[in-house]
Amino acid sequence: MGVQFGSFNSICQTAALVICPLIGSDQGIEPSCYSRNVDIAGTLIFQPSTCFVHVVAILMTGIMIYHIRSKYTAVGRKEIVMFFYLYAIIELLAFFLDSNIIPTANASYPWFAAAYTGLVAAAYCCLLINGFVGFQFAEDGTPLSLWLLRICCLVAFGAAFFIAIATFKGYVGFKNSKPTALWIIYILWPLACTVIYVVSQLVLVFRTLEDRWPIGDIIFGTAFFTIAQVLLFAFSATICDAIKHYIDGLFFFTLCMLLSVMMVYKYWDSITREDLEFSVGSKATVWEVKDPLLAGQESDPYGEDVASNYHGAPGSLVGGISGQQLYQQKGYGVRGYPPSSDRY
């Protein structure tokens, strides 16, 4: 059975999604094949291999966030880091939902699943807006740019959260047997945001950048994203049966999505260059002047060239005397200031 618009039946029969136990009927939709469970200290852990990938994803996202925050003058730094914060929160929440640490029978599960759905929608909205940061419609890092991003993500989260919980609980005319609005938010919205982001970045690279290497990052990121969807929605049950229930398509989906997010970071890093002259908090590079004729060309605070021919030759031309030694021989201090008696 193929994917039908507005229906999760075939999708949830193939893939064990977070929302599947809450839609279709009061009992949810059970996948035809899913990963084996593990009993740890009396607690039944679902999807153990997928949970391991969730942990790795959180750690890798923390590393990427650290590197992004260290590039103080990079374009779009504050905007793109919000996407990675959202992704880290999604992976953390998915760890508890996929592993059954928050049981599906628990009364809080629908609310956490709705929050997960809202965060996914907000993360794709954040990615979409970041796709236009490079065009400088609003200067990056300014309150206008940041608050526009935050408000849009908040609206996306609120709309998706409301649609999800209303579908799960049957509020205001929504039904879990007809989750059309949820299908649009959960399936169609991420696909649309990804396509727009990829197209916008290709336009940005071709129109404004001389370097074409970032296109490779875009291609790899798009490939990982596509492979993730195909493995989850088309071959999850096949993989599960072939590997005897040790892992299923959700494992490869989570892994490929991590790789695609890493390519988003790699692409952003490749198109941004930090201005080291105005960098704050980073280790300054110590430049050593090798040219002996340039080593002594320093001026004192009063505009006199202490290494000029009037005062004497540069250090390398007077018996190996360095510029600093020349300063001290003429009565100047360590920082180039003359003695107090000669200042006036």
Side-chain angles (χ1 to χ4, degrees), residues 15-309:
L17 301 180
V18 169
I19 63 175
C20 288
L22 302 170
I23 56 178
S25 65
D26 294 337
Q27 302 299 322
I29 303 175
E30 184 178 358
S32 58
C33 183
Y34 48 84
S35 178
R36 295 186 182 188
N37 307 326
V38 176
D39 189 358
I40 300 179
T43 302
L44 198 62
I45 303 298
F46 290 10
Q47 300 285 348
S49 56
T50 304
C51 292
F52 174 77
V53 179
H54 287 317
V55 174
V56 174
I58 294 172
L59 296 177
M60 291 302 300
T61 306
I63 295 173
M64 290 185 286
I65 290 174
Y66 172 78
H67 285 288
I68 292 172
R69 289 177 60 87
S70 66
K71 298 184 68 172
Y72 295 96
T73 60
V75 176
R77 177 180 68 95
K78 294 181 179 180
E79 286 81 1
I80 196 66
V81 78
M82 184 175 178
F83 168 75
F84 290 96
Y85 278 130
L86 290 172
Y87 176 72
I89 298 173
I90 288 170
E91 288 300 306
L92 179 63
L93 193 55
F95 173 83
F96 289 101
L97 295 174
D98 287 336
S99 64
N100 199 45
I101 294 178
I102 302 177
T104 56
N106 193 286
S108 63
Y109 185 88
W111 297 94
F112 282 105
Y116 173 83
T117 304
L119 287 170
V120 170
Y124 279 101
C125 178
C126 184
L127 181 67
L128 174 65
I129 297 176
N130 269 280
F132 296 97
V133 170
F135 294 95
Q136 294 292 298
F137 294 114
E139 187 176 355
D140 63 286
T142 60
L144 175 62
S145 177
L146 294 175
W147 279 106
L148 177 64
L149 177 64
R150 293 165 183 168
I151 292 174
C152 289
C153 291
L154 183 61
V155 170
F157 172 82
F161 178 84
F162 172 77
I163 291 173
I165 196 63
T167 303
F168 300 154
K169 296 290 187 178
Y171 295 155
V172 294
F174 288 89
K175 296 180 181 179
N176 59 6
S177 58
K178 294 182 179 180
T180 304
L182 182 61
W183 193 91
I184 294 174
I185 291 294
Y186 203 90
I187 303 296
L188 200 58
W189 171 251
L191 180 61
C193 291
T194 303
V195 171
I196 296 174
Y197 175 79
V198 171
V199 172
S200 66
Q201 297 316 291
L202 289 175
V203 172
L204 180 67
V205 171
F206 280 112
R207 292 188 59 183
T208 63
L209 300 181
E210 297 180 358
D211 189 7
R212 296 292 182 261
W213 284 107
I215 297 177
D217 301 329
I218 298 174
I219 293 174
F220 277 107
T222 305
F224 285 130
F225 178 83
T226 304
I227 292 172
Q229 312 305 315
V230 172
L231 291 179
L232 179 65
F233 297 125
F235 297 103
S236 182
T238 305
I239 295 171
C240 182
D241 291 329
I243 311 181
K244 299 180 180 180
H245 294 241
Y246 284 103
I247 57 176
D248 56 9
L250 189 61
F251 168 82
F252 292 103
F253 170 81
T254 307
L255 179 61
C256 288
M257 289 301 294
L258 170 61
L259 294 175
S260 65
V261 170
M262 291 175 66
M263 294 312 300
V264 171
Y265 164 76
K266 182 65 173 60
Y267 164 73
W268 176 84
D269 185 65
S270 66
I271 66 173
T272 56
R273 293 292 183 270
E274 186 177 16
D275 190 348
L276 295 178
E277 181 181 357
F278 299 101
S279 179
V280 179
S282 59
K283 294 182 179 179
T285 304
V286 178
W287 300 95
E288 181 180 358
V289 179
K290 297 296 185 181
D291 193 336
L293 296 177
L294 297 178
Q297 297 295 325
E298 297 181 26
S299 299
D300 66 22
Y302 298 91
E304 294 183 328
D305 188 356
V306 298
S308 65
N309 292 329

